[in-house]
Each structure stands twice: as structure tokens, then as C-alpha cells.
Amino acid sequence: MTATEIINAMMEKDAFSQWMHLERLEESAGSCTLQMKVAPSMCNGFGVAHGGTLYSFADSCVAFAVNALGEVAVSVETSISHLLPAKPGDVLTCTSNEERVSARMAVYTATITNEANQKVALFKGVYFRTGKSW
């Protein structure tokens, strides 16, 4: 399967990514860039994007990238650092970065930026590569 076919298959079953209205900008084996607009329903009581929304945005971006290598991969450990608030109406971009891939493990980072190209959040994930082909 191609990277696009793999991501299509993942998106088809991923109700949460669909709910976020993720737009796929670029994708290839091991790489993905997504965009989304912060909706009011994604915000917390302070009127800014809920941390879980930003986490999920980055988590989806990296999951698509690492699985697009052609092998089913699942997260082992992930974390996020929030740098700036995102508000309703903000258009955010998330870009995955492959740090290291081995036969069984993959380490990825992702950067979420706003329309002013300011870093909003930094994400890191470690993924187990199952050995099962898509």
C-alpha cells in the first residue's frame, strides 16, 4: 500500500480525527503535515484550545507518518509541551519529523504552528513497529 492508501484506511476508522476536520497537506512514507481550524467546541473554560485537542492533533499527524512507512505501528510513550495558546478560529499546522526508525521502534517529533508560524506546541512520540504490513 502507498502512504496515501494507508492514511486513507486509518482516517476511515478514526472518528476523532474526522471530528477535528483534519486537512491533509502533505504525506509520504514516514512524513505527514496536517492542518486544522480551532473550533469553539475544541476549547476549554479559558477560551483557548484544550490541551487534549492539540495533543490529539499531533498524535494523529505522527501516527499517520509512522504507519505510512508501511508497517502497523502503535504508540508506546508520547508527550506534549504547550508553548502558546490557540484560540477559536486559529488555523494550526502540524508537521511530523522522523528522528529515528529501527526494525522495532520509531521516534518522532511534531511541531504545531499557528498562522504567524509561531510554535504552539511540541510533541514527542515513541512507537512500536509490530512487523505487520499494512
Side-chain angles (χ1 to χ4, degrees):
M1 292 177 74
T2 67
T4 297
E5 290 170 334
I6 291 167
I7 296 171
N8 285 344
M10 292 177 72
M11 276 294 290
E12 191 175 299
K13 296 178 181 179
D14 188 343
F16 199 78
S17 290
Q18 292 173 31
W19 174 80
M20 289 190 293
H21 299 285
L22 302 183
E23 180 183 347
R24 294 154 52 181
L25 301 181
E26 292 182 31
E27 57 199 36
S28 62
S31 180
C32 185
T33 300
L34 302 174
Q35 197 168 70
M36 76 167 202
K37 186 174 184 177
V38 177
S41 61
M42 298 174 175
C43 294
N44 61 24
F46 297 107
V48 297
H50 191 285
T53 301
L54 297 180
Y55 174 91
S56 296
F57 181 38
D59 187 47
S60 290
C61 185
V62 173
F64 295 155
V66 70
N67 277 276
L69 290 169
E71 190 173 308
V72 175
V74 295
S75 65
V76 173
E77 180 181 27
T78 56
S79 65
I80 192 165
S81 298
H82 302 279
L83 307 176
L84 290 174
K87 298 176 183 155
D90 285 355
V91 176
L92 304 177
T93 302
C94 186
T95 303
S96 67
N97 303 292
E98 183 181 287
E99 302 298 336
R100 185 170 192 292
V101 175
S102 67
R104 285 292 187 223
M105 301 299 286
V107 177
Y108 272 75
T109 56
T111 304
I112 299 175
T113 56
N114 61 20
E115 293 166 283
N117 204 32
Q118 298 170 308
K119 291 180 183 176
V120 173
L122 301 173
F123 177 92
K124 179 185 175 190
V126 179
Y127 297 80
F128 175 70
R129 302 181 74 213
T130 65
K132 179 183 173 190
S133 295
W134 273 93

